[in-house]
Amino acid sequence: MTEITEVPSPFCGIGTDDLSIQVDGATLKVIANGCAVNTPAFEQAIADTTPRVAGQSVSLEAATNKAAELLRDINQPLIGGCATDVNGMRALLALADKSGAVVDNINFNNARRNLLALQDSGWMNTTLAELKNRCDLLLVVGTDLEAFAPRFFEKYLWNEESMFLDSTANRDIIYLGKAPSGSASTSPTGQKATVLPCADTDLPDVTAVLSALVKGRLLHAQSVAGIAISDLQAIADKLKSAHYGVILWGAAALGFDQAELTVQTLCSIVKDINQLGTRCSGFPLGGKEGDQTANQVCGWTTGYPARINFARGYPEYDPYLYDTQALLSNGEADALVWVQAFNSSALPPKTELPTIVIGRSGMKFEKEPDVFIPVGTPGIDHSGHAYRLDNVVAIRLKKLRDSGLPCTAEVLTAIEQAL
């Protein structure tokens, strides 16, 4: 039995790197600095280590050869999930290039809300380090930050040391939309976050009013979505007077039509405040299940984020046409490869197509895929790199145990070479 300290996590998105893990053979136990997201992800037991073809145990070579056979001479393969590390994503793109496949990230519909706003008008966003060292006002819009990353406040808001603030306990926290699910946003001095609740579907109106108030527009209404205009004016005034305000949102939580317009409104507020002589930045959440890693590797490899098609012999990007569910529903794909090395509960969509699953041990299928190859999880079974949510740091993941499971990159490369 050994103890490994300063363990980084690929699961929470915020780059938590101070976990202590007790390793007893193949069994892991988080003994320090765990949370509701990281602890169960690290402690999940290995359930199977042997590849299967049509439900029967086979060797890894036989499984990769069968996968290559299924992908050979078909018109439009589809590679979905894309939950892996940097090397796994590189190998995935190489396989997609050779087979002419569509590549679609499991969380791309959420990321699309941010990407459309970025592509249309640009944005001014900050990093975790800047937020930790400079932010004196955090406005959380439409998301339960504590549920997303339970240790966010502990690590980046109520930290004892800050390069440019005399006291981090005086940071001002405001929730607009969803209320916090716990008490993590309460400062060490007992000051609770200000909460202005409203329904998710009311956020477009509420953020539009806040944008107008930041611009100094005169409004005749007294309230919007149950929130007093005077309360929104107070938020606008605080944003204008803050030394370094940050507006945070989670695209995954904005589950309403044309949510990218709300993201664009928030980005517009940030720009307007900076023109008034103070500093303000945006901060979009993300980074779980390898989505930031997938988009980063796709970006530097092809020039586009995920949701690209290699069928023409070069990468072609379309954020709508190359959606996994749309391709399956419309009968446009004829084989599915599902890559999910982090979350054994994230199963492939139901389909009658030939299906190859390269996933974390422990996946339980309603219908057994044609090929299932259990792979190691980055940061547990093998070392690797994964991008945290602000995209500026590739976290160096550690190998914690010898499970005998291959990494995703090895499996995908073997399939590519067998084609």
Side-chain angles (χ1 to χ4, degrees):
M1 187 180 297
T2 59
E3 179 182 334
I4 303 176
T5 60
E6 297 182 347
V7 175
S9 170
F11 301 108
C12 62
I14 64 172
T16 304
D17 59 359
D18 60 352
L19 282 75
S20 293
I21 309 289
Q22 187 181 77
V23 183
D24 185 4
T27 302
L28 304 182
K29 183 176 179 58
V30 178
I31 57 177
N33 299 326
C35 69
V37 172
N38 286 323
T39 298
F42 274 99
E43 294 184 351
Q44 179 179 317
I46 296 175
D48 38 30
T49 59
T50 305
R52 301 193 297 267
V53 171
Q56 301 299 312
S57 297
V58 299
S59 67
L60 177 59
E61 182 180 6
T64 56
N65 286 337
K66 180 61 177 180
E69 178 186 327
L70 292 172
L71 293 176
R72 194 176 294 123
D73 300 324
I74 61 175
N75 293 320
Q76 185 59 82
L78 166 62
I79 305 178
C82 298
T84 181
D85 62 350
V86 168
N87 283 338
M89 196 62 201
R90 283 173 166 158
L92 186 151
L93 290 173
L95 175 61
D97 185 29
K98 190 165 186 177
S99 62
V102 167
V103 174
D104 183 27
N105 186 295
I106 187 174
N107 292 326
F108 193 85
N109 282 343
N110 300 331
R112 184 176 63 191
R113 297 163 187 160
N114 289 334
L115 290 169
L116 291 174
L118 170 61
Q119 291 168 344
D120 186 67
S121 58
W123 60 17
M124 300 171 63
N125 289 343
T126 192
T127 66
L128 284 168
E130 288 288 270
L131 188 150
K132 176 180 179 179
N133 288 313
R134 297 181 185 275
C135 175
D136 58 344
L137 168 64
L138 178 66
L139 173 61
V140 182
V141 180
T143 191
D144 182 356
L145 181 53
E146 296 177 40
F148 178 90
R151 297 185 66 203
F152 190 96
F153 285 94
E154 170 199 341
K155 293 282 290 181
Y156 296 107
L157 273 300
W158 310 135
N159 49 296
E160 294 182 359
E161 295 181 357
S162 173
M163 293 178 65
F164 304 107
L165 296 176
D166 294 332
S167 172
T168 60
N170 295 326
R171 299 184 201 252
D172 200 355
I173 312 297
I174 304 173
Y175 275 80
L176 184 59
K178 285 187 177 68
S181 57
S183 58
S185 58
T186 300
S187 77
T189 61
Q191 180 179 344
K192 294 185 177 181
T194 300
V195 181
L196 301 182
C198 70
D200 290 347
T201 51
D202 288 326
L203 282 172
D205 291 338
V206 173
T207 55
V209 169
L210 180 60
S211 178
L213 294 172
V214 167
K215 290 182 172 69
R217 302 288 191 265
L218 177 64
L219 300 178
H220 296 290
Q222 298 301 308
S223 66
V224 56
I227 300 175
I229 298 297
S230 58
D231 289 337
L232 290 174
Q233 181 65 64
I235 294 178
D237 293 341
K238 286 185 175 183
L239 286 169
K240 292 178 183 180
S241 61
H243 292 290
Y244 196 103
V246 174
I247 299 178
L248 178 150
W249 70 91
L254 305 180
F256 47 84
D257 290 341
Q258 297 182 318
E260 66 273 8
L261 297 179
T262 299
V263 174
Q264 193 171 39
T265 298
L266 296 175
C267 294
S268 175
I269 292 172
V270 169
K271 295 174 192 175
D272 290 338
I273 291 171
N274 278 279
Q275 291 178 345
L276 297 175
T278 189
R279 297 187 66 184
C280 186
S281 292
F283 196 86
L285 297 179
K288 291 189 174 182
E289 298 189 28
D291 52 2
Q292 300 291 64
T293 301
N295 288 330
Q296 283 283 63
V297 178
C298 278
W300 79 56
T301 304
T302 71
Y304 303 107
R307 200 158 281 179
I308 48 181
N309 191 353
F310 288 87
R312 297 178 183 268
Y314 56 84
E316 183 180 30
Y317 168 70
D318 193 297
Y320 295 98
L321 289 181
Y322 302 137
D323 173 82
T324 294
Q325 291 292 351
L327 291 172
L328 295 176
S329 299
N330 297 335
E332 297 178 69
D334 43 19
L336 172 65
V337 180
W338 188 254
V339 178
Q340 175 53 269
F342 293 113
N343 184 357
S344 61
S345 298
L347 301 177
K350 294 181 180 179
T351 178
E352 297 301 318
L353 297 177
T355 301
I356 302 160
V357 177
I358 300 163
R360 184 170 185 177
S361 170
M363 284 188 167
K364 297 185 182 302
F365 306 99
E366 184 177 324
K367 177 187 175 184
E368 181 74 14
D370 296 85
V371 178
F372 171 57
I373 303 176
V375 292
T377 299
I380 294 180
D381 301 300
H382 62 85
S383 59
H385 295 84
Y387 278 87
R388 69 184 191 188
L389 75 171
D390 57 3
N391 283 321
V392 299
V393 172
I395 306 163
R396 298 180 62 183
L397 304 174
K398 296 182 178 181
K399 178 179 179 179
L400 305 180
R401 66 186 177 193
D402 292 316
S403 64
L405 291 166
C407 67
T408 303
E410 293 172 1
V411 173
L412 292 172
T413 299
I415 296 173
E416 180 206 354
Q417 293 176 346
L419 277 176

